[in-house]
């Protein structure tokens, strides 16, 4: 590692210890991090983002052991899933202990925890020796950042004043937020689809002889996820999303008004996830266009599309058609 990046990490550790925030690269999206033991800094996260206090923050940790230091109980399912998928894009929601403030958990008795899979994030967490609460580094409701330049456009003033320190870790590999999973002794519930699919969760539990069923939150009325709002990830210009076959998309494109800037997603789900937010941001900045339309071909059955479609539904001001996973036989 170059001396410059060593200095950067050290400066980031110093900033965090002084109640400032750090824009931290992860494999999903960039996070806006604060130490969990610095209430002033945690308040700044909500204020800087304009995030409502009912939307809990995910706590990032360096290891499974550090995760366990934050909980009042640790279900077997959480243990199996953490061992299989950490570091990685999986957030486990488990009962918290008093080291996690109500501000972080939005008054809930639970906390969402994950180990990010990015060398700079892991180095920062290790050097801080304290967990970091980090939501995505964008203003509330807007498109998540997957490159440091996206973060720069979100918080120019806070960065210029030094309130937000930035760490450049390159483009994010996964590109959509983590899968959020509530772990209970008798049940595992997917609160938000993400980089780890439901089938992968089921396979990991089965391999460990754990028979706990895995449900989507829509199938489990007793578990709800706060902050999972209908509108989120939105560009500034109105976005229409068109779900359909290639033939339907081609026919639609032919009669499209010139006011629209088009976005075509890659047909490979991994690449589509990785490119989605950068494509939305770049289309949003195109001059001379007042609206955006994103075409999403529905042929591929890769389960990762569920996470992408979830984000598209929330980012869209207008939906044309609906994702295949909305049809009951798929989920
Ligand atoms: P993000 O905005 O990507 O940092 O993700 C935070 C989201 O994770 C929240 O909006 C919730 O939907 C979910 N989440 C975090 N903590 C909890 C929790 N304790 N219980 C349920 N959902 C949570
Ligand atoms: Mg976010």
């Amino acid at each position: 590692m170059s001396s410059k990046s060593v200095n950067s990490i050290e400066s980031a550790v110093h900033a965090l210890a002084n109640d400032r925030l750090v824009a931290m690269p992860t494999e999903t999206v960039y996070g806006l991090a604060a130490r969990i033991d610095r209430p002033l800094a945690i308040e700044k996260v909500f204020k800087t983002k304009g995030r409502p206090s009912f939307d809990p923050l995910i706590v990032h940790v360096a290891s499974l052991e550090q995760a366990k230091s934050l909980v009042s109980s640790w279900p077997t399912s959480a243990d199996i899933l953490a061992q299989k998928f950490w570091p990685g894009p999986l957030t486990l929601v488990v009962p918290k202990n008093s080291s996690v403030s109500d501000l972080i958990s939005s008054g809930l008795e639970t906390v969402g925890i994950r180990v990010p899979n990015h060398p700079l994030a892991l180095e920062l967490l290790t050097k801080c020796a304290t967990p970091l609460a980090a939501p995505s580094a964008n203003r509330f409701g807007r498109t998540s950042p997957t490159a440091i330049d996206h973060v720069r456009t979100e918080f120019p003033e806070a960065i210029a004043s030094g309130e937000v320190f930035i760490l450049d870790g390159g483009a994010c590999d996964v590109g959509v937020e983590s899968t959020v999973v509530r772990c209970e002794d008798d049940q595992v519930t997917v609160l938000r689809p993400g980089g780890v699919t439901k089938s992968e969760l089921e396979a990991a539990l089965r391999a460990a002889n754990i028979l706990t069923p895995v449900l989507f939150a829509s199938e489990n009325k007793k578990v709800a996820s706060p902050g999972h709002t209908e509108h989120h990830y939105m560009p500034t210009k109105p976005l229409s999303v068109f779900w359909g076959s290639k033939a339907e998309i081609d026919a639609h494109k032919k009669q499209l008004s010139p006011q629209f800037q088009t976005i075509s997603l890659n047909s490979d789900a991994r690449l589509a996830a990785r490119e989605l937010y950068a494509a939305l941001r770049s289309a949003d900045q195109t001059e001379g266009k007042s609206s955006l339309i994103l075409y999403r071909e529905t042929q591929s059955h890769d389960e990762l599309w569920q996470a992408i479609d979830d984000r598209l539904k929330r980012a869209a001001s207008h939906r044309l058609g609906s994702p295949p996973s909305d049809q009951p036989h798929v989920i």
Side-chain angles (χ1 to χ4, degrees):
M1 180 172 286
S2 72
S3 59
K4 186 172 178 294
S5 50
V6 171
N7 280 337
S8 299
I9 289 279
E10 244 100 76
S11 305
V13 171
H14 185 257
L16 289 165
N18 285 281
D19 286 334
R20 288 187 283 137
L21 310 181
V22 170
M24 164 178 85
T26 80
E27 82 281 32
T28 58
V29 302
Y30 274 75
L32 189 64
R35 286 174 58 127
I36 65 160
D37 59 350
R38 311 292 302 188
L40 215 66
I42 298 291
E43 270 177 36
K44 274 187 199 169
V45 170
F46 284 95
K47 216 166 142 212
T48 307
K49 276 184 62 91
R51 184 174 174 113
S53 58
F54 62 76
D55 194 353
L57 306 181
I58 291 173
V59 176
H60 293 67
V61 292
S63 65
L64 183 53
E65 289 62 46
Q66 199 176 40
K68 287 187 189 169
S69 74
L70 304 175
V71 307
S72 60
S73 72
W74 185 245
T76 312
S77 58
D79 209 48
I80 303 297
L81 296 176
Q83 288 187 47
K84 171 77 184 169
F85 296 107
W86 284 357
L90 179 67
T91 297
L92 300 174
V93 174
V94 287
K96 77 177 186 80
N97 65 26
S98 60
S99 58
V100 178
S101 69
D102 285 347
L103 199 58
I104 293 172
S105 72
S106 299
L108 298 172
E109 292 301 309
T110 53
V111 58
I113 311 173
R114 86 177 186 104
V115 180
N117 189 13
H118 191 291
L120 281 188
L122 288 170
E123 197 185 340
L124 181 64
L125 284 161
T126 307
K127 292 217 165 121
C128 277
T130 303
L132 300 175
S136 52
N138 54 276
R139 282 169 302 118
F140 181 70
R142 295 296 178 191
T143 310
S144 303
T146 52
I148 200 67
D149 280 347
H150 302 167
V151 181
R152 284 198 178 96
T153 58
E154 291 292 318
F155 309 116
E157 281 139 32
I159 292 171
S161 72
E163 265 317 300
V164 172
F165 182 89
I166 54 174
L167 269 182
D168 185 356
C172 300
D173 192 39
V174 176
V176 289
E177 295 76 3
S178 59
T179 305
V180 178
V181 167
R182 170 84 166 101
C183 288
E184 294 165 290
D185 286 329
D186 58 343
Q187 194 155 276
V188 170
T189 310
V190 180
L191 302 178
R192 174 176 77 184
V196 175
T197 65
K198 182 171 178 257
S199 300
E200 288 172 323
L201 297 169
E202 285 167 340
L205 292 172
R206 241 189 345 261
N209 283 323
I210 305 292
L211 303 175
T212 318
V214 182
L215 299 175
F216 277 112
S218 53
E219 305 164 303
N220 180 7
K221 296 288 171 258
K222 94 178 159 77
V223 179
S225 191
H228 211 193
T229 45
E230 192 190 344
H231 290 296
H232 213 99
Y233 317 109
M234 291 180 106
T236 53
K237 290 178 189 166
L239 169 73
S240 303
V241 176
F242 187 109
W243 284 270
S245 65
K246 183 164 184 332
E248 287 166 333
I249 288 173
D250 287 345
H252 190 268
K253 273 185 180 165
K254 283 199 185 123
Q255 34 110 42
L256 190 66
S257 142
Q259 83 193 53
F260 281 93
Q261 171 64 33
T262 59
I263 307 164
S264 294
L265 277 190
N266 201 299
S267 55
D268 177 300
R270 310 260 133 210
L271 295 178
R274 191 177 297 163
E275 295 163 2
L276 172 65
Y277 292 140
L280 282 178
R281 279 175 183 270
S282 143
D284 207 14
Q285 281 157 15
T286 310
E287 285 184 21
K289 305 282 182 179
S290 57
S291 304
L292 318 177
I293 181 157
L294 183 146
Y295 290 105
R296 147 80 166 105
E297 256 186 65
T298 48
Q299 272 92 325
S300 156
H301 294 296
D302 192 317
E303 226 179 307
L304 183 59
W305 286 113
Q306 288 180 359
I308 300 169
D309 286 334
D310 171 74
R311 307 309 188 271
L312 291 178
K313 282 193 286 184
R314 292 171 209 282
S317 335
H318 184 54
R319 301 179 194 172
L320 296 156
S322 58
S325 56
D326 274 5
Q327 273 114 59
H329 66 275
V330 178
I331 292 184

